[in-house]
């Protein structure tokens, strides 16, 4: 019996050491940053076009004044932008269905549209995950959520891949109504990816 107690103590000591070691790791893990929408847009957007897309997305006119001053965890901006992207994908898929009824669209272009929308289906699956993104940044409570951060990266890369699948298919059809839509949807997807980067490699806390 005393032997059992000793080995239990040894296990407990080992566990405590592991927890303490883990504590060192989590201490180096930056929390999910909080900022205003304006700050988030400035932090991630390199062009005026992207910045204005970002403002339109995160600060819809109806709520602009009230919303602009508030700071939120950036995960909130990722999910808000992801929902807008999903709406844009749905609108493009609807535009594609309209082309199915047009006799003027040649067969090869129809095939290109089908393949393009395969890319959208792929992108939408990943984007739906970003719309409910959850990354714990509370170091004290649950530590560095490395797995969640990795998933965020996989998700936005999947979205960008899906947009590129479509773009490659439409390359020979610049007059297609889907062509311009895809360029705009890709920019929207890029915005989600840029915002997502804020949780993957957060700036050091200030
Ligand atoms: C996408 O963004 C780039 C710059 O970030 C801009 O030049 C381009 O016009 C945008 N395309 C569309 C279709 O919005």
């Amino acid at each position: 019996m005393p032997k059992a107690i000793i080995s239990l103590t040894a296990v407990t000591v080992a566990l405590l050491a592991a927890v303490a070691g883990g504590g060192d790791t989590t201490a180096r893990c930056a929390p999910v940053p909080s900022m205003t929408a304006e700050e988030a847009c400035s932090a991630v957007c390199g062009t005026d076009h992207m910045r204005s897309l970002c403002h339109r997305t995160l600060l819809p006119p109806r709520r602009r004044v009230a919303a602009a001053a508030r700071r939120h965890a950036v995960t909130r901006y990722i999910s808000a932008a992801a929902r807008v992207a999903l709406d844009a994908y749905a609108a493009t898929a609807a535009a594609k269905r309209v082309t199915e009824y047009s006799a003027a669209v040649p067969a090869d272009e129809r095939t290109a549209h089908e393949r393009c929308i395969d890319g959208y289906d792929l992108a939408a699956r990943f984007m739906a995950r970003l719309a409910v993104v959850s990354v714990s940044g509370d170091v004290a409570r649950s530590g560095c959520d490395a797995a969640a951060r990795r998933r965020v990266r996989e998700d936005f890369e999947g979205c960008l891949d899906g947009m590129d699948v479509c773009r490659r298919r439409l390359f020979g059809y610049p007059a297609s109504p889907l062509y311009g839509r895809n360029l705009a949807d890709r920019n929207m997807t890029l915005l989600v990816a840029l915002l997502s980067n804020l949780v993957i490699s957060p700036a050091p806390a200030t």
Side-chain angles (χ1 to χ4, degrees):
M1 208 45 179
K3 209 174 176 190
I5 288 170
I6 287 165
S7 72
L8 186 62
T9 307
V11 167
T12 308
V13 168
L15 275 177
L16 283 175
V19 168
D24 283 341
T25 319
T26 52
R28 284 197 298 274
C29 179
V32 172
S34 278
M35 47 184 87
T36 66
E38 177 84 48
E39 286 165 346
C41 290
S42 300
V44 301
C45 296
T47 66
D48 288 346
H49 180 91
M50 284 304 277
R51 209 160 14 246
S52 106
L53 176 63
C54 186
H55 287 166
R56 283 200 305 281
T57 303
L58 298 184
L59 296 168
R62 206 161 26 86
R63 295 187 298 123
R64 183 159 297 161
V65 176
R70 297 205 193 108
R71 299 174 144 263
H72 296 290
V74 295
T75 43
R76 185 188 178 111
Y77 302 132
I78 298 169
S79 56
R83 285 194 298 273
V84 174
L86 281 173
D87 286 348
Y89 292 174
T92 297
K96 180 263 180 186
R97 284 193 292 277
V98 170
T99 68
E100 289 170 17
Y101 300 104
S102 163
V105 179
D108 57 338
E109 186 171 334
R110 278 173 202 279
T111 307
H113 287 174
E114 293 299 331
R115 297 290 161 269
C116 157
I117 291 301
D118 289 345
Y120 272 72
D121 291 343
L122 178 74
R125 277 203 298 279
F126 288 106
M127 194 57 90
R129 288 154 50 118
L130 289 172
V132 293
V133 68
S134 159
V135 178
S136 171
D138 189 336
V139 174
R141 197 183 56 220
S142 51
C144 176
D145 204 343
R149 285 171 206 240
R150 209 162 34 242
R151 273 197 302 278
V152 168
R153 177 184 293 282
E154 283 164 11
D155 289 345
F156 80 67
E157 286 176 350
C159 295
L160 289 169
D161 284 348
M163 289 296 100
D164 286 344
V165 165
C166 172
R167 195 165 58 133
R168 280 196 300 274
R169 296 300 175 167
L170 294 183
F171 210 68
Y173 307 95
S176 160
L178 301 192
Y179 188 90
R181 297 195 73 104
N182 177 241
L183 291 181
D185 294 344
R186 194 182 189 285
N187 275 1
M188 190 61 223
T189 304
L190 185 60
L191 175 61
V192 176
L194 292 168
L195 290 167
S196 298
N197 256 324
L198 288 171
V199 302
I200 291 166
S201 43
T206 46

